[in-house]
Amino acid sequence: MMPKKKFPIWHPFTQHALQGEITSGDGAYLYTADGRRIIDAISSWWVVTHGHCHPQIVSAIQEQAGKLNQIIFAGYTHDPAEEVAEMLLKVGPRGLDHVFFSDSGSTSVEVALKMALGYWRNIGERRTSIVVLQHSYHGDTIGAMSVGARGVFNAAYRPLLFDVISIPFPAKGRERETLNALYAAFQDEFPAVLVVEPLILGAGGMLIYPAWVLREMKRICESFGVLFIADEVMTGWGRTGTLFACEQADITPDIACYSKRLTGGALPLAVTLCRAEIFEAHYSKDRVRTFFHSSSYTANPLACAAAKANLDLWQDQESCKRVTTVAAMQEHAIEPFRADARFENVRRTGTITALDLKASDGGYLASIGPKLQAFFRDRNLLLRPLGNTIYVMPPYCVAAADLDEIYGAIRAAADAVT
Ligand SMILES: *Cc1c(COP(=O)(O)O)cnc(C)c1O
């Protein structure tokens, strides 16, 4: 191996003193160049579903690689994309009729916003304002950043971001404030769309809110004729206990975004699903009304083959049962922390747990964050706290013994790091 001197690769969200090299992955484990086995407690940034290098997904990619790697998706189609779209419309929220492919969570949100504004323009209604939830995260492209929380992540790019109306996060006991703020936001503007992460705000700190609030927000949107975008990039595919988080509120969004876990974590792919009216508003002989969005690799066949294999795995009842099992295992593991005075806000939704280590300074850049990360790395655990918020989001194949190790380390960290 060549010694690494400069930093030819500019890593995301990384200060370059911190580096690790991984050579292979298998199930819930990652293996390093120097022979260590690491438990992946965050599913490699939330994307891995049934485990690293799942044999069915690997062979689907291999098989597709020998057939068709890439084809322009404007005016052409292929089997893997057709199959994925068909399956998505079957398992996704009832009432969504069209699938638009892109390649990351951020672009799926950009597509959703463009669909929504394009819809209003094409039907001739002047509706332009966008309402969002405080502390949201929707990605790192300019539009996705604009609808996300303002803060250290995007302070430098402020001049590029467009204005949105932000309503307070529905914190426990203050849910009505959120709903009232939503009413107010819809009254004095030309409301076009509400964008939300359903049930849990991920990068904003694993903040959980109840399904009834989600349902109410949707109902208020309906009464004002405002489009509802569910960004299920983080929540999709079992994470909150149901296949999609919106199921728990019994709602169908007008537009839904899915990306993380869509290919089981093997390749980048995203989809934006929408209602028929939104597609139809763009369907015309008048080419001005075309939906003007694409990227070179839209619906890449290899990524679609991986997604198809992943969707096949979800057809198996075992996968759904596994989500319930992991949720129960997670509850069992987090339960003792509720009585542990060193932690607060101990919480769980579905297969995700989170807890805040009491620290003198909070927030994403809290000095405790990197210390915790280093502590876990030394114990061969991939955990990446958001400031003083530690969360566990394992692949669904995680073993009880792995969770024991993870939570044992969290317990040890509280004394070692504070
Ligand atoms: C991660 C995430 C995104 C962005 O996805 P990328 O694939 O990283 O672009 C968007 N929305 C939510 C809720 C996310 O968690």
Side-chain angles (χ1 to χ4, degrees):
M1 261 243 331
M2 294 244 301
K4 290 204 174 79
K5 277 195 232 104
K6 295 232 164 114
F7 291 112
I9 299 175
W10 189 347
H11 289 269
F13 279 70
T14 303
Q15 281 305 334
H16 281 81
L18 318 166
Q19 288 223 22
E21 184 172 335
I22 301 296
T23 50
S24 63
D26 181 17
Y29 307 120
L30 295 162
Y31 297 90
T32 64
D34 57 2
R36 285 175 300 126
R37 187 188 83 171
I38 294 175
I39 302 175
D40 185 353
I42 59 164
S43 299
S44 285
W45 242 349
W46 320 347
V47 302
V48 173
T49 314
H50 312 291
H52 287 272
C53 295
H54 192 288
Q56 268 165 267
I57 297 175
V58 170
S59 64
I61 296 169
Q62 284 168 337
E63 201 182 307
Q64 184 60 39
K67 273 196 223 157
L68 176 69
N69 289 178
Q70 170 63 3
I71 171 74
I72 175 175
F73 207 60
Y76 291 86
T77 194
H78 52 81
D79 275 352
E82 292 290 332
E83 286 164 348
V84 166
E86 191 185 320
M87 290 172 89
L88 281 169
L89 294 179
K90 218 175 274 168
V91 300
R94 209 163 300 203
L96 297 184
D97 300 308
H98 300 275
V99 178
F100 191 93
F101 286 95
S102 62
D103 27 43
S104 73
S106 303
T107 51
S108 74
V109 171
E110 301 279 353
V111 165
L113 293 169
K114 287 173 74 170
M115 277 182 179
L117 294 192
Y119 169 79
W120 290 120
R121 184 184 159 102
N122 284 352
I123 67 164
E125 270 198 50
R126 182 183 166 196
R127 295 222 194 197
T128 48
S129 73
I130 299 170
V131 183
V132 304
L133 264 189
Q134 179 195 17
H135 303 311
S136 297
Y137 177 79
H138 296 290
D140 280 336
T141 51
I142 301 298
M145 274 195 291
S146 296
V147 293
R150 302 295 195 267
V152 63
F153 300 126
N154 47 43
Y157 326 117
R158 199 91 180 222
L160 300 178
L161 307 186
F162 52 77
D163 287 335
V164 296
I165 303 167
S166 177
I167 59 169
F169 174 77
K172 202 170 180 169
R174 305 178 64 175
E175 297 88 351
R176 286 283 153 205
E177 276 173 46
T178 301
L179 301 174
N180 293 341
L182 187 57
Y183 261 110
F186 285 171
Q187 252 140 21
D188 59 13
E189 294 280 338
F190 300 101
V193 60
L194 171 70
V195 189
V196 296
E197 288 171 84
L199 299 187
I200 176 167
L201 275 52
M206 300 295 160
L207 305 175
I208 296 171
Y209 66 94
W212 72 263
V213 178
L214 183 61
R215 190 162 51 241
E216 279 300 290
M217 290 195 290
K218 176 67 169 71
R219 197 186 56 75
I220 297 169
C221 283
E222 278 166 22
S223 65
F224 285 88
V226 170
L227 294 177
F228 183 100
I229 298 177
D231 175 357
E232 293 234 27
V233 169
M234 204 278 285
T235 50
W237 311 104
R239 269 299 161 205
T240 65
T242 43
L243 195 54
F244 301 113
C246 283
E247 289 169 30
Q248 294 180 46
D250 199 18
I251 56 167
T252 293
D254 299 298
I255 301 173
C257 308
Y258 309 120
S259 178
K260 292 175 172 131
R261 287 174 227 112
L262 178 55
T263 62
L267 285 168
L269 186 70
V271 288
T272 307
L273 273 57
C274 72
R275 284 191 192 275
E277 300 93 290
I278 294 167
F279 173 82
E280 279 153 18
H282 291 85
Y283 183 74
S284 170
K285 290 212 170 88
D286 180 359
R287 291 175 66 193
V288 166
R289 291 167 61 142
T290 304
F291 185 54
F292 291 109
H293 190 95
S294 78
S295 62
S296 313
Y297 286 98
T298 301
N300 171 260
L302 298 179
C304 287
K308 162 79 167 53
N310 181 47
L311 283 159
D312 283 341
L313 288 171
W314 282 105
Q315 298 297 301
D316 181 353
Q317 279 303 312
E318 281 309 307
S319 299
C320 304
K321 258 196 246 155
R322 194 61 208 157
V323 165
T324 315
T325 307
V326 172
M329 284 159 65
Q330 283 275 69
E331 179 57 32
H332 178 74
I334 196 88
E335 173 55 25
F337 289 87
R338 296 205 165 91
D340 190 328
R342 298 169 301 172
F343 298 94
E344 57 194 344
N345 304 321
V346 178
R347 53 202 187 272
R348 178 185 69 86
T349 182
T351 65
I352 308 167
T353 58
L355 68 181
D356 303 341
L357 184 53
K358 286 184 188 162
S360 48
D361 57 340
Y364 182 80
L365 290 187
S367 59
I368 202 165
K371 285 188 213 153
L372 283 170
Q373 207 172 319
F375 180 89
F376 294 129
R377 197 182 44 216
D378 289 347
R379 275 150 196 80
N380 294 327
L381 297 171
L382 174 51
L383 277 162
R384 200 173 190 279
L386 296 156
N388 64 324
T389 299
I390 304 170
Y391 66 89
V392 180
M393 199 190 294
Y396 301 139
C397 60
V398 73
D402 299 333
L403 289 181
D404 286 346
E405 220 173 304
I406 294 165
Y407 287 91
I410 294 174
R411 208 168 276 117
D415 284 329
V417 175
T418 47

